[in-house]
Amino acid sequence: MQLRPNFASLLATVSLLPSVLAVGTPFGLGSATTGGGSAAAATPTSLSQLTTWLSDSTARTIVLDRLWDFTGIEGTTTGSGCKPWTCSPNPQITIDKDSWCENFQPNAAKTTVTYDNAGLNPLRVGNNKTLLGKGSGSGIQGKGLYLKGSNNVIIQNIKIVNINPQFVWGGDAIAIDGGSNIWIDHNFIQNIGRQFIATGYGAVSKTTISNNVFDGDTTWSPNCNGQAYWAFIFTGAGDQLTFALNHVYHTSGRGPHVGGTSGFFQNVHVFNNYYDHINGHAIEPDVGSKILLEGNYFNTVTSPDLAGDGQLYVPTSSSTACQSTLGRSCVANTLNGSGALVDVSDTGVLNGITAAYSAGATVMSAQDAANYVQSHAGVGIVN
């Protein structure tokens, strides 16, 4: 039997005030997340108030009723940069953050860059917060969110857009360095200089990333193909993540990149996502990673995955390995006009991925997932 999150019940699960608090119940590893809990919903009236409410130690339900624009309010910086990519048109340029150009691209042409400071100074998010947007146009522009050791956070129905998109190291949309019980759900992210979502070296556990639209359409990219390359990177020392029911559109890499540091581990269950017109690669397993990839639909994706130093298990319709660990059959992925999945048979992944990773939302078929995600992901759906 195949189940999906039931939106009739989700829409009925609203606390305190209708149409303003987080909607529904999280599934997967983030299923215990409550965010601001019973804190009364409140709408900030200034950028400074929003900044304070997000970062303080008070449990809060914060409702955004507009697109808060941080662009320009912290000024700009003119400094050193480099040009690692020489393609045309509109290659991204790199800010020389922490001497990155000298350390990693010493032969790249040097240049001067002027970037918006707000993008490099994200909003800090404390414990026990719900950040919720009203309608389909509310959110944050020019600045991202930073969770450092934060616990019990819900980010739902907001836009995060236009963070120095022409510059590598221009800022992440959501960066998490350690933390647990995090639910990132029904958001829209586009035009970000660096990652849509990134984890640092601190372990990020009990976290679900679901029902989001990640739109890679951009003017600037390292491949000069109008598609964002820096989508997601999960590198924490013990990351445990559910990544499900997302629409990943017009990206060209890191969809996600998982792992990369010897001695660390990352367990990620990637299921029922819709990967859509990706002129590059999607899944990128690196050292330390264990990725279970099932029930995803790859529509016109050049390389659904890369062979790497991590562990990746991609079941077929006849696979039985999930029965002993997950108590159900594995669900095959679908490739439509896409390249082949490679390096896919490491069942040792199932030593790290348990039934808790998909608790509350049994995996659909890839075709059902594609239909569902196109109708239900992004902002304005759970408003």
Side-chain angles (χ1 to χ4, degrees):
M1 179 175 64
Q2 293 185 331
L3 304 176
R4 66 197 70 187
N6 185 323
F7 267 80
S9 63
L10 292 187
L11 293 171
T13 313
V14 183
S15 306
L16 291 180
L17 300 175
S19 302
V20 292
L21 299 188
V23 176
T25 301
F27 61 90
L29 287 178
S31 59
T33 307
T34 58
S38 60
T43 300
T45 57
S46 67
L47 295 176
S48 61
Q49 189 174 57
L50 171 60
T51 301
T52 298
W53 284 3
L54 281 171
S55 61
D56 67 19
S57 59
T58 302
R60 295 186 185 275
T61 297
I62 302 167
V63 178
L64 304 185
D65 62 352
R66 68 196 79 174
L67 186 67
W68 289 97
D69 191 356
F70 287 84
T71 307
I73 68 166
E74 297 173 25
T76 61
T77 291
T78 299
S80 299
C82 61
K83 298 179 176 181
W85 304 283
T86 58
C87 56
S88 180
N90 304 317
Q92 272 190 305
I93 297 172
T94 300
I95 298 169
D96 193 16
K97 182 181 178 183
D98 300 326
S99 299
W100 187 88
C101 292
E102 290 79 2
N103 292 331
F104 297 99
Q105 295 288 340
N107 298 322
K110 302 299 187 289
T111 190
T112 299
V113 296
T114 299
Y115 55 87
D116 195 279
N117 291 331
L120 277 69
N121 297 296
L123 293 163
R124 296 271 185 150
V125 181
N127 300 329
N128 305 312
K129 306 290 185 181
T130 294
L131 179 61
L132 177 68
K134 290 184 69 174
S136 58
S138 299
I140 300 165
Q141 178 165 268
K143 187 186 281 282
L145 302 174
Y146 181 42
L147 287 66
K148 183 172 178 59
S150 303
N151 297 301
N152 200 29
V153 175
I154 296 173
I155 302 166
Q156 190 180 64
N157 199 48
I158 68 169
K159 288 185 170 182
I160 305 177
V161 294
N162 301 328
I163 304 175
N164 287 317
Q166 66 270 50
F167 297 123
V168 177
W169 300 115
D172 299 317
I174 302 175
I176 313 170
D177 191 359
S180 65
N181 289 313
I182 299 166
W183 186 28
I184 301 169
D185 180 70
H186 278 100
N187 303 294
F188 176 90
I189 298 177
Q190 185 184 31
N191 277 337
I192 309 299
R194 199 55 169 163
Q195 265 81 214
F196 294 151
I197 300 180
T199 66
Y201 292 131
V204 179
S205 62
K206 299 180 181 178
T207 293
T208 295
I209 301 166
S210 60
N211 296 295
N212 303 286
V213 172
F214 300 106
D215 190 339
D217 266 341
T218 183
T219 300
W220 301 273
S221 68
N223 296 322
C224 300
N225 62 359
Q227 297 189 0
Y229 178 86
W230 321 102
F232 319 97
I233 186 166
F234 304 143
T235 59
D239 284 353
Q240 299 176 65
L241 310 171
T242 298
F243 187 88
L245 297 169
N246 300 293
H247 190 173
V248 183
Y249 176 70
H250 273 196
T251 60
S252 61
R254 293 191 175 181
H257 179 122
V258 184
T261 301
S262 179
F264 288 8
F265 78 88
Q266 303 83 22
N267 296 338
V268 185
H269 192 182
V270 179
F271 69 89
N272 283 164
N273 299 285
Y274 183 53
Y275 288 92
D276 189 9
H277 286 83
I278 292 173
N279 185 13
H281 67 270
I283 313 303
E284 187 177 349
D286 208 337
V287 62
S289 63
K290 290 184 177 181
I291 306 169
L292 174 58
L293 184 70
E294 61 169 339
N296 300 284
Y297 195 102
F298 295 92
N299 181 39
T300 318
V301 177
T302 304
S303 298
D305 72 318
L306 296 181
D309 295 324
Q311 295 177 267
L312 176 67
Y313 181 51
V314 181
T316 66
S317 57
S318 60
S319 298
T320 59
C322 293
Q323 285 288 357
S324 60
T325 55
L326 302 181
R328 59 170 175 82
S329 297
C330 300
V331 178
N333 300 278
T334 291
L335 304 173
N336 177 51
S338 299
L341 284 157
V342 299
D343 198 16
V344 298
S345 58
D346 196 334
T347 57
V349 165
L350 297 172
N351 295 327
I353 307 295
T354 68
Y357 282 69
S358 58
T362 303
V363 182
M364 292 180 266
S365 73
Q367 182 62 67
D368 284 349
N371 296 337
Y372 181 84
V373 167
Q374 291 178 84
S375 299
H376 293 99
V379 293
I381 305 299
V382 297
N383 178 53

